[in-house]
Amino acid sequence: MHELSVSREIAKIVLDRAREEGAREVLRIEVEIGALSFLNPEQVEFWTRACLEGSIAEQAEIGIDIIEPQVVCRGCGYKGELKIEEDPLYHIFLPSLSCPKCGGVELDVEKGRECVIRRMELLV
């Protein structure tokens, strides 16, 4: 249930920034979630909406983009995407990641673990 704590932080950051900018309303929030964060995007949106209830961001449109994993294999030098099959168990146990080219497990993850607010649209 780490989606709730992430969503609380998203709401806090959005409202703090809106306050700093003197916004009257938050119109749109764009969030990027890495596939390796194993956050459920629907749950993040649901809990973020719940956390923003009664605020100037209550009616904000929330857009969520999923960032696919990008890795570099220290064994063979492969650089590219890493396909992850969706499995509910990944929310409890992290999967073992391996190189799609050589099967090696010495991978550096370049993208795919993030959860960031990429953009906000405010009405000032």
Side-chain angles (χ1 to χ4, degrees):
M1 187 82 163
H2 59 288
E3 285 86 355
L4 177 56
S5 60
V6 167
S7 297
R8 282 183 180 147
E9 191 63 24
I10 290 170
K12 180 185 179 319
I13 291 168
V14 166
L15 294 174
D16 286 350
R17 185 58 189 245
R19 194 175 311 107
E20 288 171 12
E21 298 293 327
R24 291 182 288 156
E25 186 177 0
V26 177
L27 302 174
R28 181 167 173 75
I29 305 162
E30 294 178 19
V31 178
E32 291 180 352
I33 297 176
L36 292 176
S37 72
F38 299 103
L39 290 166
N40 180 307
E42 291 83 16
Q43 288 293 312
V44 170
E45 182 176 354
F46 173 84
W47 287 116
T48 301
R49 287 196 182 288
C51 292
L52 294 171
E53 217 169 89
S55 74
I56 64 169
E58 181 174 37
Q59 298 300 317
E61 181 181 337
I62 299 174
I64 297 179
D65 290 324
I66 302 301
I67 305 301
E68 295 302 322
Q70 296 284 319
V71 298
V72 175
C73 177
R74 285 186 246 151
C76 72
Y78 170 82
K79 183 175 183 172
E81 283 193 16
L82 181 68
K83 297 293 180 198
I84 301 290
E85 304 263 339
E86 180 58 35
D87 186 333
L89 285 177
Y90 291 164
H91 297 272
I92 300 169
F93 304 104
L94 293 178
S96 295
L97 304 177
S98 60
C99 175
K101 185 174 177 185
C102 74
V105 294
E106 292 187 43
L107 300 177
D108 294 320
V109 177
E110 292 188 328
K111 286 176 31 178
R113 290 186 295 195
E114 59 272 270
C115 178
V116 295
I117 300 169
R118 182 57 57 206
R119 186 170 305 138
M120 291 174 23
E121 188 176 329
L122 306 175
L123 180 63
V124 182

